[in-house]
Structures are given as C-alpha cells and as structure tokens.
C-alpha cells in the first residue's frame, strides 16, 4: 500500500497540475483552474478519467459539452481534443491517466 498526498499543499501555493503517483500502468494527479481561468491543455496520448472534487465548469470534448461539478466523473479517450471552459468556481479535479502520462 502507498498513501498518496498532495505535493505543494504544505506551502499553500496554488498548483495547476501536481502528479501524486506513477507506475507504468497509470498516473494520478490533481488539476486545478481558478474561477474565470483558462484551460490550455492539449490532447493526451493516454485515456483519461476526471473526477471533479470541487468547483463548477463545462467540459468540452469533441462536439460535446457537459456541465461538471462535485462528483462528476468523465472519461476522455486518448487523442480527443478537450478542455474546461466557463469555470465559475475554482475547479479541483482528480485526474487518472491510463497508461501513465507521457509513457510512464
């Protein structure tokens, strides 16, 4: 077993992306966007699962757009263009990449 904690939180600094765990099969991290902020991510080579912990926004992926908030779970397949827009409350998202982001 390994207990995973958020890196950078002890200093109170705002971190947009923090990876917390990595093995070749998957990587896990947190992604945050301030209210009114811009999401400039690009498509990933890995499948991705988002679990929204806090905040509200819309996730645009391909030709679809969906409102997300606490408890939302969204799967985005590898290579699909996607981004969070209309971030009305600071967004805090758990992100799981399968396999690990950037080749493990």
């Amino acid at each position: 077993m390994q207990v995973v904690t958020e890196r950078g939180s002890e200093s109170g600094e705002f971190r947009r992306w923090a990876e917390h765990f990595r093995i070749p099969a998957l990587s896990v991290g947190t992604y945050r966007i301030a209210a009114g902020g811009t999401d400039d991510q690009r498509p990933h080579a890995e499948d991705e699962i988002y679990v929204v912990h806090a905040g509200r926004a819309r996730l645009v992926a391909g030709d679809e757009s969906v409102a997300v908030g606490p408890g939302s779970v969204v799967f985005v397949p590898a290579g699909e263009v996607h981004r969070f827009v209309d971030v009305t409350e600071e967004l805090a998202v758990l992100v799981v990449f399968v396999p690990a982001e950037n080749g493990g």
Side-chain angles (χ1 to χ4, degrees):
M1 175 190 328
Q2 179 176 346
V3 177
V4 179
T5 59
E6 184 173 352
R7 290 187 284 177
S9 62
E10 60 278 351
S11 69
E13 81 179 89
F14 181 88
R15 292 182 56 128
R16 178 163 248 195
W17 167 251
E19 184 179 70
H20 306 291
F21 181 76
R22 169 182 289 264
I23 59 174
L26 64 88
S27 58
V28 178
T30 49
Y31 188 53
R32 295 172 56 191
I33 303 172
T38 303
D39 180 7
D40 58 359
Q41 67 177 306
R42 297 185 177 174
H44 309 285
E46 305 81 18
D47 287 337
E48 191 171 13
I49 296 172
Y50 290 112
V51 180
V52 179
H53 173 71
R56 301 213 177 269
R58 294 193 70 72
L59 179 62
V60 176
D63 295 333
E64 297 182 72
S65 174
V66 63
V68 296
S72 296
V73 178
V74 182
F75 171 75
V76 178
E80 185 167 76
V81 175
H82 62 285
R83 68 182 21 87
F84 292 99
V85 299
D86 302 329
V87 181
T88 58
E89 298 174 20
E90 181 177 314
L91 195 62
V93 182
L94 177 75
V95 183
V96 180
F97 288 103
V98 178
E101 184 182 28
N102 298 319

